[in-house]
Amino acid sequence: MRKSTRFGAALLGVLLVVSACSGDGESDAAGGRDRITLSYAIWDNSQRPVMDELGREFTRTHPDVTIDVQLAPWTDYWTRLRAAAGGGAAPDVFWMNGPNFRLYASNGMLRSLEKEIARDGVDLSVYPRPLVDLYTLNGERFGLPKDMDTIGVWYNKALFDAKDVAHPADDWTWADFQSAAARLTDPAAGVYGTAAMLGSFQECQYNTIAQAGGHVISPDGRRSGYDDPRTIAGLRFWTDLIRAGRSPDLMSMTDTVPLQLFEVGKIAMYWGGSWNVAEFSANAYTRGRVDVAPLPRGERRATVIHGVANVVSATTGHPEEAWQFVRFLGSRQAADILGRKGPMPAHTGTQDAWVSAHPEFDLRTFVDAVAYGVPYPVSANTAAWNESELTHLARAWTGEVPVEEAAAGLAAEMNALLSRERS
């Protein structure tokens, strides 16, 4: 996940104004009640319409509360949010992801929802357990899952058919994947079997590490797993593809990102998430040409499961109304709306609408993958060692050093960073 420290002065100003307005409230002349505006920050423009709809739906049952959806692009979202939260002016409710959660929660920027969840008897078993745990710190829950995502192999059916390669089976293996990548690679046509992306750990490395039986971080969050031979095997899966010419090299993938290459038929298999549905259904080339298969199996079957949660600012002036909005967003009613018009909802039993909304793809693949999902690796300051991952592993991706040497250096630096988290 990308990070930046640039101060988002413009948005901070906006958020300060919104916060001030929502804190004062406005009097309802007819009923004498305060009217409240809750600010709600999101980063995905494609979800803006359904978030607006959910805001209006909440207001139907809470007529004194209006939801002001505020969009900040992903590239600026965390910079702006951190600046606003640091100044005590964060939006009342906002999206949170796993890599950033502990940093915000441990620094007092999020409101614990533990009391409200217990008071209102919210059933957390309706969400996948890894997602509930992802937003829990020291036994306290700080968010309710909104959506979820798993990873699959998006593949170009036309390229498979042109090379007379069988479409991926549900039980295919690493060897099957590597064989397909070799047969689909066509240097004369500029087509690669796949893309060994670096910087897309959720889509690529974290999955193969888990499939190889390795781990990124120990369960207690105190030790790196990058010096584990099984973890290194999960990394070598990718570097071998580059060395064999089944993937573009790192420089080529920096010049043109693999997603763009896949969308013009230059990459046959793309490891991507359930969130890519919107992109591929809207793209004239991929719509009708691509489908999705489960990730190939290594020593075991695994896919990273992650999801966005809705959280409440620790400094909101309307904690009860903000909680009621978060509770609504986590409800089955909201999930049904989200599934029809947005990403895969986290609420169990509501994914059918999402699957039905795109019959051109086998989206059941992503839902079924929840059964063998593994948690997204995090610590108190995930961003710090995320940068180390890129720094060290880039040397293995370019072939400058063996993957074992890069992983050893990464493990040492990550251990130092994890130790610093405890000091």
Side-chain angles (χ1 to χ4, degrees):
M1 298 291 176
R2 288 175 288 261
K3 297 289 183 294
S4 172
T5 57
R6 186 168 57 84
F7 184 72
L11 181 68
L12 176 59
V14 172
L15 294 174
L16 284 168
V17 170
V18 170
S19 179
C21 290
S22 62
D24 292 342
E26 297 176 0
S27 178
D28 183 326
R33 296 167 300 188
D34 283 343
R35 298 177 64 87
I36 293 170
T37 297
L38 291 179
S39 50
Y40 179 36
I42 68 173
W43 63 67
D44 186 350
N45 188 47
S46 71
Q47 293 189 47
R48 176 66 182 265
V50 70
M51 292 300 112
D52 283 333
E53 180 178 344
L54 288 170
R56 292 191 298 270
E57 191 65 25
F58 178 75
T59 299
R60 278 200 332 114
T61 54
H62 298 75
D64 296 332
V65 182
T66 299
I67 305 301
D68 177 23
V69 178
Q70 300 177 349
L71 175 71
W74 169 257
T75 50
D76 295 331
Y77 182 85
W78 297 106
T79 304
R80 297 176 179 183
L81 181 61
R82 186 178 300 186
D92 297 293
V93 178
F94 51 94
W95 285 3
M96 178 53 62
N97 68 2
N100 285 285
F101 162 67
R102 294 194 179 197
L103 187 65
Y104 280 77
S106 62
N107 282 286
M109 296 176 180
L110 306 183
R111 179 181 175 82
S112 170
L113 303 178
E114 192 66 26
K115 291 181 180 177
E116 288 84 354
I117 289 172
R119 182 195 69 193
D120 294 347
V122 175
D123 181 9
L124 297 177
S125 71
V126 300
Y127 311 112
R129 180 61 182 269
L131 297 187
V132 175
D133 291 346
L134 190 62
Y135 296 103
T136 300
L137 181 65
N138 298 328
E140 288 193 83
R141 281 82 169 208
F142 287 82
L144 290 185
K146 161 188 164 288
D147 58 39
M148 64 178 177
D149 42 67
T150 58
I151 308 301
V153 177
W154 290 94
Y155 65 97
N156 187 318
K157 295 181 292 185
L159 293 178
F160 270 70
D161 295 343
K163 294 289 185 180
D164 196 25
V165 178
H167 293 187
D170 286 345
D171 59 348
W172 69 332
T173 65
W174 279 15
D176 296 328
F177 176 85
Q178 289 157 345
S179 173
R183 295 180 61 189
L184 291 162
T185 298
D186 185 344
V191 174
Y192 291 92
T194 191
M197 298 180 286
L198 182 65
S200 301
F201 288 85
Q202 182 183 356
E203 294 97 315
C204 298
Q205 291 81 15
Y206 290 166
N207 299 285
T208 50
I209 288 170
Q211 291 161 4
H215 64 287
V216 174
I217 187 170
S218 60
D220 63 4
R222 302 171 73 90
R223 296 284 302 174
S224 169
Y226 273 110
D227 50 2
D228 185 312
R230 295 166 296 183
T231 302
I232 294 171
L235 297 174
R236 188 181 298 110
F237 175 90
W238 298 105
T239 54
D240 282 352
L241 289 165
I242 294 176
R243 191 169 64 248
R246 313 310 182 209
S247 164
D249 60 26
L250 185 58
M251 180 59 74
S252 298
M253 290 187 286
T254 303
D255 292 340
T256 306
V257 297
L259 178 62
Q260 292 176 303
L261 295 173
F262 182 71
E263 290 183 313
V264 295
K266 296 300 182 183
I267 286 176
M269 296 182 287
Y270 177 84
W271 289 46
S274 44
W275 62 84
N276 288 123
V277 172
E279 174 93 11
F280 296 153
S281 63
N283 182 291
Y285 177 84
T286 52
R287 187 176 59 248
R289 281 191 178 89
V290 309
D291 205 345
V292 65
L295 295 183
R297 181 188 184 106
E299 293 296 320
R300 68 185 182 110
R301 201 165 205 186
T303 178
V304 169
I305 180 171
H306 179 261
V308 173
N310 289 297
V311 298
V312 176
S313 166
T315 58
T316 179
H318 308 289
E320 180 59 27
E321 290 81 4
W323 157 245
Q324 291 300 331
F325 183 48
V326 167
R327 184 184 179 191
F328 166 73
L329 293 171
S331 69
R332 179 167 189 127
Q333 178 189 357
D336 283 336
I337 296 172
L338 187 67
R340 290 194 297 271
K341 302 178 180 179
M344 180 165 57
H347 196 294
T348 301
T350 63
Q351 291 82 27
D352 286 350
W354 178 74
V355 171
S356 299
H358 297 282
E360 67 273 31
F361 305 127
D362 184 14
L363 298 188
R364 182 61 59 185
T365 295
F366 292 111
V367 180
D368 293 344
V370 174
Y372 51 89
V374 297
Y376 192 102
V378 295
S379 71
N381 191 1
T382 311
W385 48 267
N386 282 164
E387 293 182 9
S388 299
E389 289 175 321
L390 287 173
T391 300
H392 286 273
L393 295 181
R395 301 178 68 206
W397 254 243
T398 59
E400 180 182 349
V401 299
V403 66
E404 293 85 354
E405 182 178 334
L410 170 56
E413 186 167 303
M414 185 173 164
N415 282 330
L417 291 168
L418 292 174
S419 177
R420 200 174 302 163
E421 289 181 3
R422 302 192 296 275
S423 62

